[in-house]
Amino acid sequence: MIKHALNAHRADDFAGWYQELIAQADLAEESGVRGCMVIKPWGYGIWERIQKLMDAQIKAAGVDNCYFPLFIPLSFFEKEADHVDGFAKEMAVVTHHRLVSDGEGRLIPDPAAKLEEPLVVRPTSETVIGAAMARWVQSWRNLPLKVNQWANVVRWEMRTRMFLRTSEFLWQEGHTAHTDEAGAMAEMLRALEMYRAFAEGPLAMPVIAGEKPENERFPGAVATYSIEAMMQDGKALQAGTSHYLGTSFAEAAGIKYQDKDGGQQHCHTTSWGVSTRLIGGVIMVHGDDDGLRCPPQIAPHQIIIIPMLREKDADEDQAVLDYAKALKAQLARPLAFGEPVRVLLDVGAEKASNKRWSWVKKGAPIIIEIGPRDVAEGKLAVIRRDQMYKDDGKLAVTFPEKNAFAGEAAALLENIQAALHSEATARLHSNIHRDISDLEEFYAENRKYPGWAEMQWARPTGAALDKIVEQLKALKLTMRNAPIDAAAADGVCFFTGAPAVERILIGRAY
RNA sequence: CGGGGAGUGGCGCAGUCUGGUAGCGCAUCUGGUUUGGGACCAGAGGGCCGCGGGUUCGAAUCCUGUCUCCCCGACCA
């Protein structure tokens, strides 16, 4: 019987496990403000890694970073009808610009300082960026125009969960304008592929890229594509989206250009984003009953060195420290994933055993402990976080030679990254079912983690689609996306019996 | 936003029904004994009992309002 670091276990209480992991791994905590969280150093460090790696890819694609205001005039939202419908219900509105005392020791918004036009806290920036694009774009020579911003956004969610759905979250939103549909679609697909590769690479999180059905589209979009990841409870998590917005936002904001023939045309625009929700995905894909297993590429520290200082013999402790420092210098030299290895020498005053378990819970990929005996033998004790236990349930500690280990550490990190990815990939594929003849029966079974169903369908619209959505809802199911690289349809629609045109993934979702 | 549950030292909880000196485990600090895999013994420190109002001689406990969190639902790029 293994004594795990977390009290809640995935198999018994997935939601409780998720929350305990976030607390124990020091990723985030409650803030006292509904739906808003404090992201702590280890959690924010993961986000910074995500930002750094993705920002480089965004720039490489010729997209420039900008910053647009947090406050958006209310009237901007009234211009695009579908967009209004999509976001009106969840917007934070600023109506005053001054506080005054009410005479009883409390502060209230000053009735005399009411804003002429309320400002909304951005839930997304299509409208304000569209207004800027309208100023910036004159001719076809200005196109394509591609900008991105890293920002926070606010959506007044009814039910929140840390990282997965918070009222305020951090994200990246790319916005582009093009002369024609082909250019915009190409950009939308480029962003989708960037997200797919990013999830599979740095996050070691396998995903399925595909198009969202009509009812799941972004408000105002012509087409919405997503990457969907499978959590360890079999639920889907939409981990990134990319939208082709047609010309409706350009029409609403007046983004026009003069074409080669001298005529005025509306631009075709796109938007695409990923958020701190990715961290929730990483937790639910890679976490285990001892905490997070952080993929090395996004781990703020990849290797932790814990010196076993016994505070009895100063010379002995100094020797251990010197040895540990030398090891740190040695480990930081090689490149893993094309970057210097990130090594932390944990010299804090905490007990060594506490340090070890704290790094286990945080999911540091490699944890090294060094004691006097290691110094004498030129060795070290290594715990590989993704494979912590031996078959007998004991910690799988290895004792390699120091110099040999230093030479192999970078490769070991890459190996851990690959192992996490392949473990998750095997789980994803073995839980997508293509032979389901009766959805109700399949999902009504008392199977805890039924996974997803991939069904052929005719892609109906309107009332026919609504009926399917209702039918699925009764089983707590949603359509996730129509995978881009699914096999071609060769049968009839599971729902309507009409000739199928594509395949669609169905599952429970966050 | 509807239904249910909860908020008490850093963490996990008991105490609330039946009002009467705020407790336990872990963690922390000190001393001692240990020392290669989540040490042991002894002692100590730490609490506007979420917040406001009320009832009472007296409130963690009863009443009331409110905030926050969790679960189910509705909603949801």
Side-chain angles (χ1 to χ4, degrees):
Chain A
M1 183 71 181
I2 299 173
K3 183 190 175 191
H4 287 289
L6 302 185
N7 295 315
H9 295 175
R10 289 164 294 175
D12 316 323
D13 178 9
F14 198 79
W17 164 83
Y18 178 77
Q19 284 169 194
E20 191 189 345
L21 187 152
I22 287 169
Q24 293 292 320
D26 253 344
L27 295 170
E29 66 183 19
E30 296 303 335
S31 65
V33 179
R34 186 191 167 84
C36 297
M37 60 180 173
V38 175
I39 305 177
K40 298 175 78 173
W42 186 247
Y44 197 75
I46 292 171
W47 179 240
E48 286 184 307
R49 288 293 308 159
I50 290 172
Q51 278 187 304
K52 180 179 178 182
L53 295 172
M54 187 167 292
D55 194 58
Q57 295 188 24
I58 291 170
K59 289 192 172 104
V63 182
D64 296 319
N65 278 337
C66 295
Y67 186 76
F68 291 87
L70 173 67
F71 300 125
I72 300 178
L74 189 57
S75 58
F76 280 29
F77 275 87
E78 293 165 345
K79 293 174 182 171
E80 217 289 338
D82 292 331
H83 201 55
V84 180
D85 289 347
F87 286 106
K89 297 183 291 289
E90 53 185 40
M91 296 219 273
V93 187
V94 179
T95 54
H96 293 74
H97 64 81
R98 187 190 302 145
L99 295 172
V100 289
S101 170
D102 66 352
E104 291 166 19
R106 298 196 166 269
L107 289 172
I108 56 167
D110 184 352
K114 192 167 180 188
L115 295 178
E116 192 114 332
E117 179 181 1
L119 296 169
V120 302
V121 181
R122 65 182 162 219
T124 177
S125 303
E126 273 75 9
T127 58
V128 63
I129 293 181
M133 285 178 161
R135 296 191 297 273
W136 297 347
V137 173
Q138 303 296 327
S139 95
W140 65 273
R141 293 179 195 278
N142 302 133
L143 297 170
L145 175 62
K146 302 194 277 189
V147 299
N148 176 69
Q149 77 168 344
W150 290 93
N152 56 339
V153 288
V154 168
R155 297 176 188 179
W156 213 261
E157 300 289 349
M158 288 294 109
R159 188 173 171 186
T160 60
R161 285 165 186 272
M162 286 216 178
F163 290 112
L164 299 178
R165 177 169 286 109
T166 45
S167 294
E168 179 189 22
F169 57 92
L170 307 182
W171 77 346
Q172 148 282 312
E173 50 179 324
H175 297 267
T176 69
H178 306 260
T179 55
D180 58 11
E181 175 173 349
M185 283 295 286
E187 174 63 20
M188 185 273 289
L189 289 170
R190 181 206 63 76
L192 184 74
E193 170 56 19
M194 174 177 74
Y195 292 154
R196 191 201 61 75
F198 187 84
E200 303 263 354
L203 305 183
M205 181 170 78
V207 293
I208 303 290
E211 182 176 3
K212 285 280 190 187
E214 184 183 86
N215 60 305
E216 299 272 356
R217 273 181 207 145
F218 175 72
V222 174
T224 288
Y225 283 67
S226 72
I227 53 170
E228 303 281 334
M230 186 185 285
M231 306 298 102
Q232 287 182 67
D233 61 355
K235 287 194 191 174
L237 181 74
Q238 179 173 295
T241 50
S242 187
H243 317 287
Y244 167 55
L245 303 174
T247 57
S248 62
F249 282 83
E251 284 162 25
I255 314 173
K256 289 180 290 188
Y257 68 95
Q258 195 165 29
D259 65 20
K260 293 177 185 177
D261 301 323
Q264 289 286 317
Q265 304 286 344
H266 281 112
C267 287
H268 293 249
T269 63
T270 77
S271 65
W272 29 274
V274 294
S275 70
T276 37
R277 173 181 264 196
L278 288 178
I279 296 173
V282 166
I283 294 167
M284 290 193 289
V285 168
H286 299 305
D288 66 14
D289 291 346
D290 292 299
L292 182 60
R293 296 187 299 170
C294 193
Q297 271 194 279
I298 56 164
H301 308 302
Q302 296 167 313
I303 303 181
I304 308 297
I305 303 172
I306 302 173
M308 313 288 285
L309 304 175
R310 303 197 287 183
E311 295 175 354
K312 270 189 101 169
D313 179 338
D315 290 342
E316 178 190 281
D317 283 357
Q318 191 56 49
V320 169
L321 252 178
D322 289 346
Y323 185 88
K325 283 179 181 165
L327 174 66
K328 180 185 173 182
Q330 225 173 337
L331 287 174
R333 237 173 279 139
L335 299 181
F337 313 100
E339 296 178 274
V341 174
R342 297 182 290 281
V343 188
L344 177 78
L345 174 58
D346 187 349
V347 293
E350 264 188 296
K351 286 194 291 187
S353 59
N354 285 350
K355 286 186 197 172
R356 178 210 300 146
W357 287 98
S358 131
W359 287 114
V360 163
K361 289 185 280 191
K362 287 179 172 174
I366 297 174
I367 299 166
I368 296 174
E369 295 175 358
I370 293 173
R373 191 186 302 170
D374 300 304
V375 175
E377 296 174 359
K379 294 186 173 179
L380 34 79
V382 177
I383 295 172
R384 177 180 165 154
R385 179 62 183 87
D386 66 319
Q387 296 170 11
M388 276 218 310
Y389 297 100
K390 294 187 283 196
D391 291 342
D392 62 6
K394 293 194 173 140
L395 274 187
V397 184
T398 58
F399 300 88
E401 301 279 342
K402 170 167 163 277
N403 294 335
F405 178 81
E408 296 159 3
L412 180 56
L413 287 169
E414 292 178 357
N415 187 289
I416 291 171
Q417 182 87 24
L420 288 171
H421 182 253
S422 80
E423 184 183 324
T425 302
R427 188 169 52 235
L428 170 67
H429 289 135
S430 64
N431 284 295
I432 297 179
H433 306 280
R434 299 187 171 81
D435 54 356
I436 294 173
S437 55
D438 186 336
L439 270 183
E440 192 160 355
E441 186 184 57
F442 185 75
Y443 282 99
E445 279 179 54
N446 268 344
R447 292 178 48 192
K448 233 174 167 180
Y449 308 128
W452 303 348
E454 187 188 87
M455 318 301 278
Q456 304 210 26
W457 80 323
R459 201 175 177 164
T461 57
L465 176 62
D466 292 344
K467 194 179 149 195
I468 295 169
V469 171
E470 281 306 310
Q471 193 181 328
L472 291 173
K473 196 167 160 185
L475 298 170
K476 298 182 189 175
L477 296 171
T478 57
M479 286 178 275
R480 305 317 304 157
N481 67 23
I484 288 176
D485 30 8
D490 60 2
V492 296
C493 177
F494 179 80
F495 304 100
T496 64
V501 300
E502 64 184 7
R503 294 167 197 263
I504 183 117
L505 283 174
I506 290 164
R508 298 196 169 132
Y510 279 99

